[in-house]
Amino acid sequence: MKKTWLTITACLLTVACSSTPTPDCIYNCAPSINIGNNNTNSNNNFGALTEPQRQALLKYLESQVKQQWGDDNYLQAGKHRYVKYFAGYRTRAHIDFDNGKIYVSTIANNATRHTLKQAIEETLLMPADPSQVDLFSDKSIPLNGKPFLLGQVKDHQNQDIQWPWRAGQYADYLIANKLKTQKLQRGTAYYVEIDMVEDHLEQREYQYADLIRQAAKRYDIDENLIYAIVKTESSFNPYAVSHAGAYGLMQVIPKTAGADVFNLVKNKPGIPTKEYLFNPANNIDTGTAYFYILKNRYLKEVQHPTTKHYTMISAYNGGTGGVLATFDVDRKQAMKDLNNLQPNQAYWALTNKHPKAEARRYLEKVLNFQKEFEAM
């Protein structure tokens, strides 16, 4: 019921829920435009990063940060953690989505309060579309459109923060009343700590209810599964990144799942850029389309629907090869063995015998979250 209300409310706020077309195509079809992509950000014209380029970018970021903060205070963005640097890498914002905390800090010696205030404002008003924000540099954040944190943070007057004047007022209040210091190897950090509202996770779920509903219908994938995957992968953090090079809400890796969706569903050459995958609509569409490929191509021979459901979830994390390797080194024999098992037996194998420990835990975690969403 709660999820239904979220979807209805999201539709009302966006004037009307758009119709949901069927997938563009699946195999060998004419070129088509992206499904559900209204993003016109010019950053999407950038070519996709190669793995060496991505690694070089991260190494440069690390070197710049450590030069300012020291080796012991290096912090980078993750799946459930937002980290953005500003002002010569001497100021940063850190959002801990698991614990509902926001930290904005600076080690700048000159104009400390002004620098900190600007970083607080940019953090509170950062856009809901992460493709506009460069997480891997110290560039400022463009403040336009609906703030991502709207509804997830209240100011000192218990008001939502949507406009620059209110963000500025709250920043002044925090600096005047909540400013803290911490001694570091290379000086002193000045910082403020902001508590997110108790239901911040639900507030983020609400933001993507309509996108998830549309993608589920478009690709005939269980809506509750998509919710469970997003919660597992990113805690509904659209800025999520991973050490493996995955981006966004559903943690899509451009060169694997992203490439498959482009080539098999979109009939587009190449792989998606990180800017493309940081866009929430693109990300949810791409992640759900990959489930469609798993269901109808890579795992189409799995006979029992419940067993197929388990293998799809496991393959989303550890690949189809990892699923089959759980049962036999020979892929054809593995499929035979899998189809000879009852769903509970297949589940036991995937959560106890899968070659990757992360994949064993992943299936159990996603299914538990899926049950939670089904009960709403």
Side-chain angles (χ1 to χ4, degrees):
M1 179 64 72
K2 176 182 175 184
K3 190 163 71 277
T4 302
W5 178 86
L6 290 176
T7 301
I8 293 172
T9 306
C11 291
L12 293 174
L13 288 177
T14 54
V15 181
C17 289
S18 59
S19 59
T20 53
T22 55
D24 303 43
C25 54
I26 298 301
Y27 311 116
N28 301 321
C29 46
S32 57
I33 61 174
N34 299 335
I35 304 175
N37 174 23
N38 295 319
N39 180 33
T40 58
N41 190 315
S42 61
N43 284 342
N44 286 342
N45 294 324
F46 293 172
L49 293 174
T50 64
E51 184 60 19
Q53 288 173 329
R54 188 182 73 85
Q55 292 293 340
L57 183 63
L58 293 177
K59 286 183 179 179
Y60 177 78
L61 173 64
E62 181 178 355
S63 67
Q64 294 299 307
V65 174
K66 287 184 175 180
Q67 183 177 337
Q68 300 297 334
W69 293 78
D71 293 350
D72 294 341
N73 287 281
Y74 174 60
L75 193 63
Q76 66 179 24
K79 296 173 67 172
H80 300 254
R81 179 176 64 203
Y82 167 93
V83 177
K84 175 74 177 83
Y85 288 90
F86 308 89
Y89 301 92
R90 297 179 64 80
T91 303
R92 75 178 171 210
H94 166 209
I95 304 177
D96 181 348
F97 289 102
D98 286 337
N99 294 304
K101 294 283 189 179
I102 301 173
Y103 307 92
V104 185
S105 53
T106 185
I107 54 174
N109 293 322
N110 298 322
T112 302
R113 290 173 178 259
H114 173 77
T115 301
L116 191 60
K117 178 180 179 178
Q118 184 175 353
I120 294 170
E121 292 173 347
E122 291 190 23
T123 302
L124 293 172
L125 298 174
M126 65 182 183
D129 180 1
S131 64
Q132 302 180 47
V133 179
D134 188 352
L135 285 180
F136 307 106
S137 78
D138 66 336
K139 293 180 181 178
S140 296
I141 295 176
L143 304 183
N144 52 57
K146 177 183 175 182
F148 165 63
L149 290 173
L150 184 63
Q152 299 179 60
V153 178
K154 302 284 188 180
D155 69 5
H156 55 299
Q157 298 174 333
N158 199 35
Q159 298 296 310
D160 287 333
I161 304 168
Q162 185 171 3
W163 311 111
W165 66 268
R166 187 169 288 280
Q169 273 190 357
Y170 189 38
D172 286 336
Y173 169 82
L174 290 170
I175 293 171
N177 298 279
K178 304 292 183 179
L179 186 63
K180 300 179 181 180
T181 61
Q182 180 183 1
K183 289 293 183 180
L184 305 179
Q185 285 182 333
R186 303 190 179 186
T188 301
Y190 299 84
Y191 71 99
V192 296
E193 178 180 329
I194 304 170
D195 289 322
M196 302 176 74
V197 297
E198 187 174 343
D199 65 340
H200 62 92
L201 176 61
E202 288 78 6
Q203 292 289 329
R204 293 195 298 282
E205 292 172 12
Y206 151 78
Q207 290 191 34
Y208 309 111
D210 192 35
L211 294 177
I212 290 174
R213 179 193 62 81
Q214 291 183 45
K217 186 175 181 180
R218 182 180 300 134
Y219 296 108
D220 191 27
I221 299 297
D222 186 348
E223 185 176 333
N224 294 309
L225 173 59
I226 304 174
Y227 273 101
I229 291 292
V230 176
K231 184 173 182 178
T232 302
E233 291 287 356
S234 66
S235 289
F236 292 85
N237 165 26
Y239 290 84
V241 296
S242 79
H243 66 278
Y247 301 108
L249 292 162
M250 295 185 73
Q251 285 294 275
V252 179
I253 297 179
K255 65 181 180 180
T256 54
D260 278 353
V261 170
F262 263 30
N263 297 329
L264 300 176
V265 177
K266 306 293 185 181
N267 196 29
K268 296 176 66 171
I271 64 176
T273 63
K274 63 180 175 65
E275 289 80 15
Y276 180 91
L277 291 175
F278 269 138
N279 177 274
N282 293 339
N283 193 281
I284 291 172
D285 177 82
T286 304
T288 309
Y290 186 63
F291 268 112
Y292 187 97
I293 294 171
L294 290 172
K295 180 180 179 180
N296 295 284
R297 182 179 176 98
Y298 296 150
L299 296 168
K300 66 179 180 180
E301 295 178 24
V302 180
Q303 296 171 0
H304 197 289
T306 302
T307 301
K308 179 176 284 192
H309 187 71
Y310 295 158
T311 58
M312 286 166 56
I313 294 171
S314 186
Y316 192 86
N317 176 261
T320 306
V323 169
L324 297 177
T326 303
F327 303 95
D328 199 280
V329 293
D330 180 82
R331 295 173 73 94
K332 290 185 178 180
Q333 185 59 47
M335 188 61 71
K336 291 179 181 178
D337 292 348
L338 177 58
N339 282 324
N340 285 330
L341 297 176
Q342 294 298 313
N344 64 317
Q345 295 173 315
Y347 173 82
W348 183 91
L350 290 169
T351 54
N352 288 274
K353 297 296 185 180
H354 192 288
K356 297 181 180 179
E358 180 185 349
R360 295 197 291 269
R361 297 188 297 269
Y362 187 84
L363 175 57
E364 182 178 7
K365 189 174 184 178
V366 170
L367 288 173
N368 286 336
F369 283 150
Q370 188 174 359
K371 290 177 182 177
E372 290 180 9
F373 284 110
E374 287 171 349
M376 290 181 179

